[in-house]
Amino acid sequence: MPEIQIDTTPVPSPGITPSPTPVSGADGIGLRLNREQREYVRREVVRRTLEEQKELCRRSRDLNLEVIINDAVYQEKERLKTAPNSKENREQSRFWADVGRRFHRVEDSERESILASIVAMYVDEIMGYFNPVIHNIAAHVLPWGLKAMLSRFSPVNFLRYLGSQLNLEENLIISGPLDQIRGLSKRAALIMAPTHVSNLDSVVIGLGLFQSRLPPFTYGAGLNLFSNRVVSFFMNNLGAYKVDRRKKNGIYKSALKQYATLSMEMGHHNLFFPGGTRSRSGEVEQKIKLGLLGCGINVYAANLVSGKPNPDVFVIPCTLSCGLVLEARSLIEEHLQETGKSRYIRVRGEYSRPMRVLNFWRNLQSMDSKIHMRFGEPLDLFGNKVDADGVSRDAHGRAVDRTKYLQINGSVTQDAQRDQEYTRELGRSILAAFRSNNVALSTHIAAFAAFQQLRRLHPQFDLYRSLRTMGSDHAVAKSAILGDIARLLARLRELEREGGIIVDPQLADASAEAVFARAMDHFSSFHDGEALRDGTTGVYTENMKLLYYYRNRLDHYGLDTVLEN
Amino acid sequence: METIGIIGGGSFGSALADLVGNRGYRVMQWHRDAASAQRFNELRVNEKYLPGITLSENVQATADLQAVASAARFIIVSVPSLYFRDIARRLGNFLDGGHILISTTKGIEAHSFKLMSEVLREETCCLKIGSLSGPNLAKEIAARKPSGTVIASQYDEVILKAQEILSGPYFRVYSNHDLYGVELGGVLKNVYAIATGLVAALKMGDNTMGMLITRALAEMSRLAEKMGANPITFLGLSGVGDLVTTCTSPLSRNYRVGFLLGQGHTLDEAIANIGEVAEGINTVRIVKEKAGQLGIRMHILEGLHALLFEGKDLPTVLQQLMNVPQMQDVEFMTRHGSEKPGV
């Protein structure tokens, strides 16, 4: 097989030191680039994206710049047809109409500059925190006295303020090998890879990282996150960049990947949700998107070739667990309607209303409900665990020389197919870490027991029929549910000893009754109590789908067989 | 001259060592005991497993795993499934992520239902892993009769490298990315060789044989699909190819076990008579359990299980088999699969 040496041309411009220490504010918070750095990033992403597209054309006979631009024009026009009528969207429509008129009958060199202008527009959008429109929205109406914060505009003060407002010290339980992660952050670029449950995750994680004294991370955040003004303000402040999952054309995807790659090359720590989107079904992630995650290998290879002193990129899996989820109702609906998965992404919902979010949070606090943020063991890009000294370890704890994965006959070689498989392996390790760091909470356990009981009432119903038809006239005896909760608890504790899951520490010695009572406290306070009710006729649900959603958090642990036997 | 490693001094390992040596590579073949390695180096013949055949000059035997791992980047592992995990773990002490590992062992781990490539993945730090499977009787390869095989791996690099090293004038190497399906085919066919041996002994006729082999294929692919493999893989050399060879060749140990059973011997007598491990017998037990867990019907396999382990007699089992519901002939076909456009 031909050996292709990796292109080592990208050399950081003056003004950016290629050190693994993130370019950050003096206070260590917020990855804000200065004007010179910003210009460099913009220029470099445009150059690399252009290069990548031209390389694609060279490799494929059916592909040329005209086809690539045409595809983007078509997809963007389609997208804009259903987009809301806003100033920004009108501007975009004009932009694409203009491109659409120009790109056909021109020389290839002219086409290149059209492509460059498209990429430049995308880069500006991705680095959106410079977008004055967004800033205006953020500054428009802010609750909780945040206006005062705005005037001071210090991210550290902002985080401290928000943390104290939310009683974070008490409500967010952070665990995992924190010292190890802090240590590794000084010698490698990190990729934080959290599970994704709710739009509030980004805020919780941001605050959690701050509270755990971890270095700042650059976020790749879904555009829909920016629909809540508070979160939007928060994200912008931390230097989040925007990922618009509705844009599916090759140019956009390539620009996004090049941006993430460049950011890692500059030594920034990155955060992205490897599942790509919030878990619609409520399950812990079962699939990983390889796109952004795969950038890590390219960065590592380029760093090895250029002989960087700290070439490594490590991945930190992070599992978030919460007893109630703000958007549960719409998430499970979207899961059940095929449309929810990719074709239709809600930008506004429960989440976009700031007061609703605040009430939700206060509710959780009143129930002494904790959010659990668990960091898994750090991983290298090939799925091996990495110890505190930065040494990769195989399943038997033997040291692994990770540079060898990329070498043939002693030199680093590029092989996109191989690297994609490596990223798949990494994905498997991340998924395993998600599963074993998932915290089983009272609502999950009670929902699991109740849901399985209800299903057994009508074994002839398939899943969808039970979701549609089961309601308040289908009740099961509380004693039956308590019996099943007891059996689930026993199995979950056993699994926990084997390292397969975490049981909520607040339930350490809890009886089935206590678990059920705690779950009912939660369920009755939210979703209008629909998920589960404890009535005179027995225990029943008014929203089987919601129950299904909370039940799914404990799917894939073989618990159904525990109840059947 | 590049060095290729082969772990295992059995018949298949030796046949491949000879093949690779003849292709112009230096071969380092690991034997489990030093005396056997030394004996081979003196005689150039594997007296125990491949008697009478002088192997290529390029083959050198050793009992030192580390020596193989440091000399070779491409290593073929060909040891019985019973010792596979242990040897893989020991080999793993000397490997790094650049090594390519190929398993040729057609076996399954009883307690975990793991295939050998999965064992390699668990016991070493290597990711570039593949499997070689197909209608490959060691004696025929050693005798340089034309044969074909399949190299399966998720990595193109592994496939290309294996083809470069192994393919030659009497050996063709086809590729497949469905590693799991290819390996599973090699494991499952052993079960059906017992059944065809039986049918041959009972002189039931060629119609019976044709039906048996084809329905065996249906069962195999049904299980494989449920386990995540691509059922189309079973149309290839590692599926149909291996099945037909094993099910019709008196060289196959599993076929011989079935044949002896058909002649009225007990299972113990048959095993004693063969004198070697017939993997198919254990596989029947392991696969039956798995199929039960997955809720898949495998009638031929269930019949064999009844005959071998449940004390049922042959006429009863045969009668039951002829009475199972008659399903669609080809399962992975849509109802309108045969419609021509416009008809």
Side-chain angles (χ1 to χ4, degrees), chain A residues 546-564:
Chain A
L546 209 48
L547 195 64
Y548 181 55
Y549 174 85
Y550 286 106
R551 171 244 177 235
N552 284 345
R553 202 67 186 165
L554 296 181
D555 208 1
H556 311 290
Y557 291 93
L559 294 173
D560 5 16
T561 50
V562 174
L563 298 184
E564 274 158 27

Side-chain angles (χ1 to χ4, degrees), chain B residues 4-213:
Chain B
I4 305 301
I6 292 183
I7 306 300
S11 57
F12 198 66
S14 300
L16 281 186
D18 183 53
L19 178 99
V20 175
N22 287 331
R23 296 270 302 123
Y25 293 92
R26 230 168 71 91
V27 178
M28 237 175 160
Q29 187 184 10
W30 177 84
H31 289 233
R32 199 138 57 105
D33 72 291
S36 144
Q38 200 184 350
R39 187 104 182 111
F40 171 83
N41 287 337
E42 285 160 12
L43 299 174
R44 314 223 58 72
V45 174
N46 186 330
E47 284 180 304
K48 189 166 174 195
Y49 293 108
L50 213 56
I53 297 175
T54 304
L55 303 194
S56 157
E57 285 290 317
N58 288 334
V59 181
Q60 188 181 354
T62 173
D64 180 358
L65 279 175
Q66 185 170 12
V68 180
S70 49
R73 305 301 294 165
F74 187 96
I75 299 176
I76 297 168
V77 186
S78 191
V79 296
S81 59
L82 200 58
Y83 314 111
F84 199 95
R85 187 175 282 277
D86 178 53
I87 291 172
R89 185 176 308 175
R90 283 161 55 200
L91 180 65
N93 291 333
F94 313 114
L95 297 174
D96 63 57
H99 279 103
I100 292 177
L101 299 181
I102 307 289
S103 158
T104 69
T105 304
K106 296 167 178 175
I108 198 158
E109 226 179 27
H111 61 282
S112 65
F113 209 83
K114 294 252 164 78
L115 301 176
M116 297 304 118
S117 71
E118 296 176 288
V119 175
L120 286 176
R121 177 72 190 82
E122 287 177 2
E123 298 297 339
T124 72
C125 67
C126 297
L127 298 176
K128 293 189 273 193
I129 289 171
S131 171
L132 199 71
S133 187
N136 301 140
L137 297 162
K139 280 180 191 152
E140 294 187 6
I141 293 173
R144 303 187 187 182
K145 293 183 180 168
S147 304
T149 195
V150 181
I151 174 69
S153 174
Q154 267 121 28
Y155 292 84
D156 288 352
E157 182 189 340
V158 174
I159 287 174
L160 293 174
K161 188 77 186 166
Q163 286 178 324
E164 178 191 314
I165 291 168
L166 294 166
S167 55
Y170 58 93
F171 201 65
R172 296 180 61 78
V173 184
Y174 295 86
S175 69
N176 191 329
H177 283 101
D178 180 17
L179 174 59
Y180 199 74
V182 164
E183 253 185 312
L184 206 53
V187 170
L188 293 176
K189 51 99 206 220
N190 286 331
V191 169
Y192 301 100
I194 302 175
T196 54
L198 255 163
V199 163
L202 296 171
K203 299 195 172 62
M204 278 183 175
D206 296 339
N207 286 348
T208 317
M209 194 62 99
M211 173 169 72
L212 182 60
I213 293 180

Side-chain angles (χ1 to χ4, degrees), chain A residues 298-428:
Chain A
N298 297 337
V299 172
Y300 180 47
N303 287 351
L304 285 178
V305 170
S306 64
K308 254 194 179 179
N310 286 316
D312 289 305
V313 180
F314 297 136
V315 179
I316 318 290
C318 172
T319 311
L320 280 184
S321 312
C322 7
L324 288 173
V325 174
L326 177 69
E327 315 101 299
R329 228 184 235 152
S330 54
L331 286 171
I332 190 69
E333 283 293 344
E334 286 180 23
H335 169 66
L336 294 170
Q337 300 159 9
E338 269 293 303
T339 45
K341 286 183 182 161
S342 60
R343 275 175 278 160
Y344 175 60
I345 293 166
R346 285 163 75 108
V347 171
R348 305 190 77 82
E350 295 109 325
Y351 155 81
S352 61
R353 303 204 292 271
M355 287 320 287
R356 182 86 196 258
V357 176
L358 187 60
N359 285 338
F360 174 74
W361 187 269
R362 288 194 175 135
N363 246 332
L364 286 185
Q365 269 185 271
S366 69
M367 283 177 295
D368 191 27
S369 191
K370 315 283 186 204
I371 292 182
H372 298 262
M373 180 173 179
R374 281 188 65 91
F375 296 104
E377 284 182 79
L379 302 168
D380 68 17
L381 295 168
F382 313 96
N384 299 302
K385 289 182 177 156
V386 175
D387 69 13
D389 300 321
V391 178
S392 295
R393 300 275 167 188
D394 74 2
H396 293 291
R398 296 172 294 202
V400 177
D401 176 359
R402 57 184 167 264
T403 61
K404 292 283 168 62
Y405 288 109
L406 298 177
Q407 294 177 358
I408 293 178
N409 300 329
S411 60
V412 174
T413 54
Q414 195 183 41
D415 177 347
Q417 197 274 336
R418 172 197 69 191
D419 294 348
Q420 183 165 331
E421 287 304 321
Y422 283 161
T423 306
R424 230 183 277 281
E425 291 283 353
L426 167 62
R428 284 186 202 112

